[in-house]
Amino acid sequence: MIRVGIIGCGKVADKHVGQIRRIRASQIVGVCDREPIMADQLAERFGIDGRFCDVQSMLTTCRPDVVHITTPPQSHFKLAKQCIEAGCNVYVEKPLTMYFDEAKELVSIAEKNSKKLTVGHETQFTPVAMDMRRLIDAGYLGGPPVHMESVFGYQFSDEQYAKALLGDRNHWVRRLPGGLLQNIISHGICKIAEYLQDDAKVVAKGFTSRFLHSIGETGIIDELRVIVSDSRLVTAYFTFSSQISPAPHQFRVYGARNSLIADNEHQTLIKVPIKTYKSYLNQFIPPFANAKQYFQNGCKNIKGFLRRDLHAESGMFRLISMFYESISGNASLPIPYKDILLTSRIMEDIFSQLGGGVDSIAAQKTQRQAEGSR
């Protein structure tokens, strides 16, 4: 039985509790939030005995095997370090840490203490993402990817919502080195990081959309365009947009022999084979072949839904399950540390290149170090 603790009892914690409870060999033994009322409400709703407003008290009293950290990113490094050094494995909500050097240190601490660490990149574990990975691992592309395109959309549903979230100068999102982007884009960056080498180089351009300008918000970057390449000349584009409608969550991988198109929003995976046809047949046959693939995807999704295997948090459930298997048995970590660290480093490289409303990474690091030495 894996004993589980949760730090941070807000909205995201509800999702974690829901998926942990689906894993039979696990038990949530304690929840913790610095606001006692938050810990109490989560414990009451889910029938959890242990409720705390002090992390060390929860660790000492409940002795969890694994701790889920669902607090704002500013606290991730300190809390994860404390939990690992107390003998716990740790699942941290994305982004893993505020800075790349913190991510490296956490991985080092986990390895030193023989504990395991993962981050909430659950979109890597949806049914379509798992199917794409199996095909790539089986050699469908004809070798490593030649090029990748990851597109992640996030829409502001209405002007009032945007003003409430982004107009608050004291909102914790604004204090992230990458602002709004840092709280979201790891979902798209981790997809390309999986197939890039550690030496990947980044060129980024970010700007504030016309919509945010129209409501008087100029301090938030909500449009991002990124080019990444490594020493093998594997290249990738990453696009983040709050204005593309409907908001896309797509990943395209182009190979030397075949290509793949995954749509996480609709849970469809389309194979694009190298096969061509003579004359006008090239305009007739492929559309019907694609229509057949979409139909097959739809049938597969219906079967998954009926089996209760296709749901809003299916990726989180698989990630947590695989992480617990790596703790209790000999299974590998669901996300290799190389991928976790490269995702963190690419994000930091992006933020260091952005101007406007985002402070420089160097300035924030200097301030953090100064505060730590007091």
Side-chain angles (χ1 to χ4, degrees), residues 38-60:
M38 295 298 294
D40 287 343
Q41 59 83 23
L42 187 67
E44 288 291 340
R45 285 188 292 112
F46 291 100
I48 301 167
D49 292 333
R51 57 194 76 177
F52 303 86
C53 57
D54 177 72
V55 171
Q56 192 57 51
S57 295
M58 184 188 78
L59 297 175
T60 302

Side-chain angles (χ1 to χ4, degrees), residues 308-356:
R308 297 184 179 182
D309 192 39
L310 181 71
H311 53 88
E313 306 303 332
S314 61
M316 179 182 286
F317 171 69
R318 286 185 184 84
L319 174 54
I320 294 174
S321 298
M322 293 171 71
F323 184 52
Y324 287 8
E325 288 171 9
S326 76
I327 293 170
S328 60
N330 296 318
S332 300
L333 278 166
I335 309 176
Y337 288 145
K338 171 263 177 189
D339 296 355
I340 291 175
L341 292 176
L342 185 54
T343 298
S344 179
R345 203 264 290 167
I346 289 174
M347 289 174 63
E348 184 159 301
D349 286 352
I350 290 171
F351 305 143
S352 69
Q353 295 179 41
L354 299 183

Side-chain angles (χ1 to χ4, degrees), residues 69 71-74 76-77 92-99 119-121 172 176-177 179 181-187 343-344 347 351:
I69 297 174
T71 57
Q74 287 88 342
H76 286 182
F77 173 74
V92 186
E93 258 302 329
K94 54 79 188 170
L96 178 65
T97 57
M98 294 251 286
Y99 305 98
V119 62
H121 295 162
W172 61 263
L176 296 173
L181 298 177
Q182 191 164 7
N183 197 45
I184 300 174
I185 67 171
S186 60
H187 283 312
T343 298
S344 179
M347 289 174 63
F351 305 143

Side-chain angles (χ1 to χ4, degrees), residues 254-310:
Y254 301 93
R257 187 171 68 207
N258 302 304
S259 300
L260 294 164
I261 304 173
D263 188 325
N264 199 62
E265 188 70 14
H266 302 122
Q267 287 300 296
T268 58
L269 179 62
I270 302 301
K271 299 177 182 178
V272 185
I274 197 172
K275 188 174 183 179
T276 57
Y277 302 87
K278 292 183 178 180
S279 188
Y280 286 100
L281 290 177
N282 211 42
Q283 280 76 54
F284 301 152
I285 296 179
F288 286 101
N290 285 345
K292 180 181 178 180
Q293 288 194 70
Y294 277 109
F295 178 76
Q296 290 171 334
N297 275 272
C299 292
K300 183 177 181 180
N301 289 345
I302 290 173
K303 292 178 182 178
F305 177 78
L306 294 175
R307 293 195 306 266
R308 297 184 179 182
D309 192 39
L310 181 71

Side-chain angles (χ1 to χ4, degrees), residues 1 6 30 70 77 82 84 89 120 154-155 162 173 178 194 200 202-203 225 230 239 259-260 303 307 322 331 343:
M1 180 68 69
I6 297 176
T70 65
F77 173 74
Q82 180 180 0
I84 292 171
N89 303 281
Y154 176 88
Q155 287 186 318
V173 167
E194 182 175 354
V202 177
V203 177
R225 314 291 184 255
D230 66 19
T239 299
S259 300
L260 294 164
K303 292 178 182 178
R307 293 195 306 266
M322 293 171 71
T343 298

Side-chain angles (χ1 to χ4, degrees), residues 2-6 16 19-21 23-28 65-68 89-91 116 118 317-334:
I2 291 182
R3 297 167 59 82
V4 183
I6 297 176
H16 283 252
Q19 301 316 309
I20 293 167
R21 285 161 65 96
I23 301 172
R24 292 182 179 179
S26 67
Q27 178 186 7
I28 302 174
D65 300 303
V66 58
V67 175
H68 289 233
N89 303 281
V90 178
Y91 179 124
K116 297 188 176 181
T118 200
F317 171 69
R318 286 185 184 84
L319 174 54
I320 294 174
S321 298
M322 293 171 71
F323 184 52
Y324 287 8
E325 288 171 9
S326 76
I327 293 170
S328 60
N330 296 318
S332 300
L333 278 166

